[in-house]
Structure formats: structure tokens, C-alpha cells
Amino acid sequence: MAEVEETLKRIQTQKGVQGIIIVTAEGIPIRSTLDNASTVQYAGLIQQLVMKARVTVREMDPQNDLTFLRIRSKKNEIMIAPDKDYFLIVIQNPTD
Amino acid sequence: MMASKRPKSTGDKKNDSADSAGSSTELGLPDDIFPLVLTSGTQELFECRVDKDVTRESPYKILRKEEILKDMKTRAAVSDFHPIKQTVLNYPGEELLLMFDRDFTCGQNFYLVLTEESKKRILEPPVSAREDTAEGTSLDSPPCKTPECQPWVSLGSEREIEEESVRDSRPRLKYRISRVRRKFGAPVTFTDCNAQESKDKYTECTSYDDRKFSIERMEITTGVQAVPTLRSISTQTRWTYPRNMCSQYEFREFTEEEKENIANSENFRNFVNSVVSRFEVAAQQNMIFDVFFNDWQALHEEDGIFGGKVETHLKEYQSFTDLHFTKEKTISDINWHPTINGLIAVSVMEKLSSEGKINGSAKLLQNPPLIFFWSFSDPINPQLLLECPDDVLSFQFCPSNPNIIVGGCMNGQVVLWDVSAHADRLQGTRSAAGKATSANECALPAFQDKRELNTPVVRYCAVSGVENGHKARITDVQWLPENFEISKAGIPVENKAHICVQVITCAPDCCVMFWDIRLPRVTTHSLTERKPKVTETPHLNRSDVPNTFKHLDLSWKPFIKVALPKKGTGAEYSPLKFSLRDNINDNQTGGSTETSEQNLEKSEGGTEYALLRASSAKQLKPLEDISTRFYIGTQDGEVVYTDWKMEKDNDSGRLLSTKPSHCFLVHDGFINSVRRSPFFKDIILTVGGWTFAIWKEGVMNGPIIHSSCSPKKCTVGYWSPSRPGLFFIGKEDGNVEVWDLLEKTHEASQTQNLSTTQITCIKPWIVPPKQHFLAVSDHSGTLHILEVPWSLRSPSYNEKSNMAKYFEKEVDRLIFLNKRKEMRAKEKKDKEAEEQKKKMEPKMPEKLEEQIEEENLVHYKTYLAMEKVILKNMGLLSDEEPALN
């Protein structure tokens, strides 16, 4: 438990990180550093996107699987690491 | 039997009978005629009396057979008709014809026609015969004869007609059909029956193809109409109708407990651990490099003007020369008015040549040197003139109050002017475009105040005492910014008044002095003698001199004197120009009008300088981020980096200035400009002699950039206020060079000639929003105002960061250079040491010669053995063969 928190803190303290969310595979948030409304919104939207991305990758090659998803937008970057049961979502604001 | 025979009548009769077909003979009595004699009695009986009933014209009389018979019966043998009794009886018809035969053709006067046909014949034809005869007899004489009507002669057409005509061949049958009576009105029952079941209920005549019979219709008459081709198409349209639908949902969330459970699970922990590493990589990647940066797009911002002529030259905007005053004079300093746009002040002084100075010293009183205020709106008349006690080499507007001007003179005095009285006039020069005055409401030329047409001359209101000031000409005067002030010990402390109160001056008498325009604090003991009271001055108090600085007049003293001793030697540096690090007013451009306006308000609120007192050092908080170090350019071409803080000398207890930390002899002539870059606080440009140099504060090895010697002396230098990498250098021959460090570093990117004499001062200025001016003064006393074109005033993309990088690069280069120097020096030393060592070994070789020979032999033998072994290994040499020598 503590080490999990510690790990999360490690990411949180990286430069530009705005928020971290951990959700289950169904899209229900478990842990978040953002406010509830944003968390829930992110969770719902990203879950669908990850599903789609995963299906895409697997369709092309069934042996393949999705490891990391990065969405770069004008204002920030959303990084998602999917797993069997959980996703970890990190929102970062990369500055030059 | 009566027979009338008359030849004539027979002749007539013959004619008659000859005409008729099938008639009797001519001569004899016709068969069907029987002549009769009728007595008058019978004549009366039968009404055929001669010439009464029957005449020639109507000779016939129809008798009834019955009557004849009756007559015969009555008279029996007497009856005239007795001879023909039989024929009468045989007579088929009912009526007999009795003909009157007048001419007794038949022998008797009457004859009786026995046959029916003859009767007919006679009745009918005799009509025509009569006519004919009548006519014939009458028409014998006329020549043209009308055709006689002939009886119809049938030629066979009757048969055709008979064939064609429809005649009933038999009488028409008539049928009468009627129903049984009992069936009338009886109820009727109908039943269905299939027509096909019983064939006898109907008959049909089916059409069949009769082979024997075929008609081909050769011609058909039909109507034709042109119609467009019809096509029928169908398509299925989708009919959607809008439907109201609404759904509400809520996010699924875990309860706190569930969250905790999950968070504690092993699975979760593993997940987090496995995933975090990816994130670290990704996050760091983002920080390192921006993959999505569009270089191509960023590149385009560098070329500003597309196509067309690119203006790179400084355009001459205006130039000011005053014919009365600036003849044979040169401009020593230029300053733009900090708040009023388009107002510029120049200090004019005699051209420096010592003989001229000595000879012309008498002129000073008659033609006192002046500072001219020029405005763009009036190129001929200056707006204001400031009277100076002596030639002013350098002056500056007070940043917090532009009506106060401080200047340094030739004789070492510091002068103060207050032009507040004429502030309106100066203000009016810009607000009213082109007009001389705006404040004057009465614009009638006759009643205009004549004084206003003449340029007012303002006398200085305070001047330092000759003995207190510098001993040599003051070459640089600067105000200290209003955010800090210097205490007696040289420590920068906060400035509570927030106005500029202190001035720094330097002169080639090897001093840098700090002056305060406030009266010094009243202390019980003082280090320097001073006059405690403001008393009358030996000068006549002129009426038009403002009393702002009365307290300082002639008694003004610097509160700090910084000496600049040279290292090692006892001599001192003679500063000409200096530059402070934190002097925010050093490179003032037009953009800072806001702050100075604020200050103006404060000062206009009635800052009585006379009432200001210098505060005690203890009361004020020292500011730590102000650097007390500054650069000085000296008369000998040295750049000195020193500190103005006063140290307490332990021996005497006096405050002494620190020794300069660094000194660099870089320039070949005296330094005429020491300027900080407006963009980089630690970059300084020094111009002197034939070169210029750029220094970075903190890099004490030398200048980071040192230009090559140019053919002409560089007389002045100034940074561009808008472009970090640009600066202007004025030359001895009147050229203004534009140096762009990002473009070229070995030579100027642009050179422009402005006058024939040397450039004495360059000051750029920005008039917001977009006008950039460059004020350039030359040795002949002309002030040129140039407009800076877009290419020289707008910074290129990332210019500042590029310049910073460039400077850093140069610094690195310098450091590297130094290291190399040291290394080389070290190498040189080592080399020398080695050589020294070598020189110490001459005795060895003789003794060792024999040894060397022996050694050589031994070496050779080992070599041979080795060769043998190698060749054996290679297989080139067999054991039996002798070794090759």
C-alpha cells in the first residue's frame, strides 16, 4: 500500500505532471489526484478509447498487444498504460 | 257479225298494226279485229253513237262483256253481236274494245277487238299511233323531224338488275313466340351452375386457325402520336421520424471500502510496479525533447518582409542645426526626453583643442555654452536652452522627474537644472503637431507674448562647489535609479522616497563620486566639513532661477568618493565612462513612460527637494540583490571592474574604497562608451580606440568578443533597444556601423555615412508603437535623427535566446582558450624542463659504446632465433635445411 503510494508520488513529482488516475478495466476510478468530476470524465472516455485501441492492435496481429498509449494535444499529453485489469492514466503538460 | 271493211281504215289499221310488233298482216283483216255493224239502237244502248260518243278522235269504246252478253240474250239473233258471240264468250277479259271505224277500213263502221293484247295495243299505241298519225300526217310537211318515242327495247340490262335486286323469293315467314301463360309471374329460382361442366349449356365458337383462309392485312390506317419513353422506377425511402428520447445516467463509482480493497490487492500492486517504468520513460522523453515542434513553421517567422525592397538603411528623418549657437561647436551628449516624445536635448561644447580653449576662455561669459532642446515639430528653433557654467560633456534627465537635469562640466562641476516652469511649453511642442505653442489661447499674432517666440534660456539652479567636485572634466553623469539609494558606506539600501536622489559622476581625476541631491542628515559629528545651513550664495540670485536646489548650490558635495588605485603600481585609473549593473535607467527607451509618469505625479505632488533629507543608513533596509560592482572604462583603454563599497580600513577606521578586482587592457585608445545590453544585464559593450569589445560580467578572463581593428577609430557605441544582437558603432569618419552579431561578427553588417566629421554620440529611442529613432550627433554640431527600418528594429525569432547561446558559446571558447593557454604554458614548461634535463647528460655515451655493441649482437642472435621459429611455424622452413641468413 505504502509502496504503491510512493510509486505514484514518484510519477507525480515529475516535471509537468498534472494528474494521475487509476481505473479498473471497466472504467471505474480507484485512485486519482484530480477532482471527482474530471476523474470520472477521464475514466469513462479513456476506457472506451483504450478498448478500441487494443482491439485495433490485436486485430492486426493477434499475438500483439497494446502496451502504451499517448495522446498528444495542444495543451497537454495523456499517457495511458493498460493492463489486464487496470489502467493508469497520467496527464502531463510538457513544456519546452 | 259485223265486219266493217274499209280499205282506208285497214290501211290505217295496217299502219297501226305494222308499227306494233307481231302484228297482223297489212292487207287482210287482222285476226283480232272483227268488224261490226252496230245499229243505232245498239249504239244508243252501248252509248257508242256515232259522232256523239265515239268520234274520230276517240274512236274506242270499252264495252263490258256482260253487257254484250246480255244484249245477245235479249236480242238473240237480232243483236249486232251475234256473229261474235262465241268470241265474246271466249273473251278472257271483262271489257272489250269497240273501235269506231269511220273510214270503214275493216268493212264496217265499228270493229271489235277480240284479243286482250290487241285491245291493249290499240288503246295504247293508237294513242301514240294516233299521235303519230296525227303528227305524221301533220308533220310531213316540216323539214326537221322530232324523234319519235320508240317503245323500250330491252337489251339485256333487265337481267342484271333483276339479279342485283333483292326480292323476296318466298313470302316472309312470320313466327309468333309466346311463353306458357302459367309461367308468367311465377317465382323464379336461380341456381349457379358451372358453365364448363355441362357443355351443352353454352356454345362457343372458338377461334381457330383456318389454314385455308388467310388474310394478310396489307394496309392499316392508324393514328400515330409521339410520346416520350416512359420508364417506371421505384425506390424505397427510409422514413425516420424524430423521436424524443432521453436517458440519464450516473457514473459508476466504487465505495470507499471497495477502493481500499482493490488498492490493497496484490494484483494492483504488481500492476502499478510494472507500469510505472513506462511512464517514467515517457515523461522524461517529453521533457527532453519536444517531438512535435514544427521546425518548418517556426522558420518562417524569420523572414519578415516578403518580397519587395528591404529597407535596411537608416533613413534620415530630421536633422537639427542651430546656426547661431552651434557654429564651430560640437555636440558632446544627446539625451531623449524620457516622457515627451519627439523632444531631444543636446549639449553643445567647443571643439576640444587646447589652444582654442585657452584663447577662447573669455568667450564663455558672453556665449555661455548651452544645452539645446530640439523638438521634431520645429526644426529651426530650439524649444529651450539651458545655460551651463561651462561646457557640459555629459548630462542626464532625472528619470523620476524629467524636469530635473544633471550635467557634468568641463571644470569638474556638477550642475542641476530645473525646467519645471517651462514644462508646459515643452509639453506643448508635441501635443500640438507642428505648432509652436498650444497653451496660448489668444492666438492673435500681434498680442502674442513675444517672449514665447524667443527660446527661453534657463539658468542652472545649482552647481557644485569647484573645490568639492572633480578636478578634471566630468565625462559621465548618471542618476541612480529610484528603487535604491546608496548609503554612506556604499551599501545599497532601499529608497523610501522612490525618486531619484543620487547621482554618480566620474572624471579622469581618478575618482568616481556619488552625489545626493538632498541635504545630508544632520549629524553630531561628520567626517567631512560641511556647511550646516543654507546661506546666501555669492552668486546673484536671479529671479528666473527656480529655487529647487538652492540648498545645494555651491555647497554640493559628494558623499562617496571612490578611488581607483591600480594594482601593483601606485597609479590610479582615470575613468571616463562607467556602467552600473542595476541601473535600470541606463538604457531608457520610450516604453517606460508609465513609471516615469507615476514618478512625475509623485514629484509634482510637491517634492520639495530642499526638504528632503538623506536618511540614516540604519533606518533603511539594505537591498541585497543590487550589485555594487561596476565597470569603468579608462582613459588608457583599460576596462576596470571594481566595487564601490567602502571598506573599513582596519588601521585608520576610515572608509576606504576597495581595490578594483579586475583590469583589462584591451583597447588602444581611450574608452568612449561603456554600455550594458538592455536584454542581458551582464553583457557590456566597451568601445575605444580602434576596436570594441563585449564583456560578460563574471567572466574575468577577458572580453568574450573582441572586434578586429577597424581602419577608423570607433568613437561611440550603443546597443539597440529592441534587438538583442544589434548595436551601433560610430566612427571617426562619420560612418555609423550597424553590427549584427547573429549575422556577422567579423565586420559590420551595415555601414552608413552620415557626415564628414566624426560621430560623437548615438542614442536610440523608441516612440511607441512602432517608430524607432536613432539620434546621431557629429563633430560639426549637427544632430541627425534617423529612422530605424523594420529589419533593424524587429528582433528575429528567438533572437534573445540565440544571443544568449552565442554569448555562452563565446564564454566557453574563452575558457577553453585559457585552458589551452595554460596547457600550452605547461607543455612549454615541461618541454623546457626536459631540454634542461637532456643538457645534463652528455657524459654517458662513450663508455657505453662497447656495451652497446654487445647488446646489439645479443639482440641480433635472438632475432635470428625468432625468425627461425616463425618460419618453421609457417611451414616455409623444414628442420633439415639450414637457416637462412
Side-chain angles (χ1 to χ4, degrees), chain B residues 337-512:
Chain B
H337 196 281
T339 48
I340 301 172
N341 287 332
L343 199 65
I344 186 167
V346 285
S347 60
V348 173
M349 58 176 244
E350 298 282 340
K351 292 188 190 174
L352 268 177
S353 72
S354 40
E355 293 118 17
K357 278 218 57 77
I358 295 164
N359 293 337
S361 59
K363 280 192 201 167
L364 282 173
L365 294 169
Q366 286 147 24
N367 287 336
L370 295 163
I371 293 181
F372 287 80
F373 276 64
W374 293 102
S375 161
F376 285 174
S377 53
D378 191 353
I380 304 168
N381 298 319
Q383 300 305 119
L384 202 62
L385 298 170
L386 299 180
E387 200 185 298
C388 326
D390 202 351
D391 285 336
V392 166
L393 273 151
S394 173
F395 70 100
Q396 199 181 20
F397 287 91
C398 174
S400 52
N401 185 358
N403 291 328
I404 311 292
I405 300 141
V406 70
C409 297
M410 263 321 241
N411 55 6
Q413 285 180 306
V414 182
V415 191
L416 276 169
W417 289 274
D418 184 356
V419 292
S420 327
H422 304 273
D424 294 333
R425 186 194 157 89
L426 292 175
Q427 203 80 38
T429 58
R430 201 65 195 132
S431 55
K435 294 203 180 115
T437 51
S438 62
N440 203 9
E441 284 174 15
C442 146
L444 294 171
F447 297 104
Q448 241 178 359
D449 204 348
K450 282 215 176 130
R451 269 190 297 133
E452 298 202 4
L453 293 172
N454 294 333
T455 322
V457 179
V458 178
R459 202 183 141 81
Y460 48 90
C461 56
V463 73
S464 69
V466 179
E467 66 276 8
N468 295 329
H470 285 280
K471 305 287 184 290
R473 62 184 200 279
I474 297 179
T475 49
D476 203 359
V477 172
Q478 284 183 23
W479 285 91
L480 218 62
E482 64 255 24
N483 51 337
F484 69 96
E485 58 175 75
I486 311 287
S487 69
K488 272 242 161 54
I491 299 165
V493 291
E494 64 171 340
N495 184 347
K496 287 220 171 126
H498 290 289
I499 52 168
C500 292
V501 289
Q502 293 182 337
V503 180
I504 311 173
T505 61
C506 80
D509 64 350
C510 315
C511 289
V512 174

Side-chain angles (χ1 to χ4, degrees), chain B residues 249-319:
Chain B
Y249 60 93
E250 204 181 62
F251 287 107
R252 277 169 65 190
E253 282 184 343
F254 283 137
T255 61
E256 286 299 326
E257 283 179 14
E258 285 176 331
K259 281 192 197 173
E260 286 296 323
N261 288 341
I262 292 173
N264 287 332
S265 66
E266 179 79 25
N267 208 2
F268 188 75
R269 222 176 302 153
N270 290 340
F271 158 73
V272 170
N273 287 332
S274 69
V275 138
V276 154
S277 54
R278 296 177 228 170
F279 276 104
E280 287 185 331
V281 168
Q284 280 160 12
Q285 264 180 8
N286 283 342
M287 285 303 121
I288 292 167
F289 184 70
D290 184 9
V291 193
F292 299 96
F293 179 71
N294 193 350
D295 293 309
W296 185 250
Q297 203 169 34
L299 203 61
H300 94 289
E301 290 192 22
E302 282 186 1
D303 66 51
I305 307 168
F306 46 92
K309 49 187 175 97
V310 178
E311 281 278 327
T312 49
H313 278 277
L314 305 159
K315 260 190 325 197
E316 176 110 7
Y317 185 82
Q318 222 164 14
S319 97

Side-chain angles (χ1 to χ4, degrees), chain A residues 1 4 7 10 14-15 22 26 28 30 36 40 67 70 72 77 79 81 83 85 88 90 92 96, chain B residues 251-254 259 262 264 267-269 271 275-276 278-280 282-283 285-287 290 292:
Chain A
M1 181 58 195
V4 162
T7 329
R10 225 167 63 214
Q14 290 245 359
K15 192 175 169 197
I22 306 183
E26 296 169 315
I28 310 169
I30 301 172
N36 198 33
V40 149
T67 53
R70 282 166 96 161
R72 176 80 180 228
E77 178 159 351
M79 294 181 273
D83 191 58
D85 302 319
L88 177 62
V90 172
Q92 189 190 24
D96 298 353
Chain B
F251 287 107
R252 277 169 65 190
E253 282 184 343
F254 283 137
K259 281 192 197 173
I262 292 173
N264 287 332
N267 208 2
F268 188 75
R269 222 176 302 153
F271 158 73
V275 138
V276 154
R278 296 177 228 170
F279 276 104
E280 287 185 331
Q285 264 180 8
N286 283 342
M287 285 303 121
D290 184 9
F292 299 96

Side-chain angles (χ1 to χ4, degrees), chain A residues 15-65:
Chain A
K15 192 175 169 197
V17 171
Q18 286 174 341
I20 305 178
I21 307 168
I22 306 183
V23 289
T24 62
E26 296 169 315
I28 310 169
I30 301 172
R31 276 260 181 282
S32 170
T33 61
L34 302 172
D35 57 291
N36 198 33
S38 311
T39 303
V40 149
Q41 203 171 18
Y42 265 114
L45 294 168
I46 285 176
Q47 195 258 346
Q48 296 171 41
L49 187 64
V50 169
M51 283 300 134
K52 196 72 182 174
R54 183 178 264 156
V55 158
T56 309
V57 168
R58 288 189 79 106
E59 284 247 355
M60 300 309 294
D61 179 10
Q63 309 293 323
N64 206 355
D65 197 6

Side-chain angles (χ1 to χ4, degrees), chain B residues 833-846:
Chain B
E834 264 188 51
E835 272 178 24
Q836 283 282 335
K837 255 203 257 174
K838 277 186 191 160
K839 281 182 195 164
M840 300 297 216
E841 311 168 351
K843 306 161 202 171
M844 303 302 287
E846 291 162 358

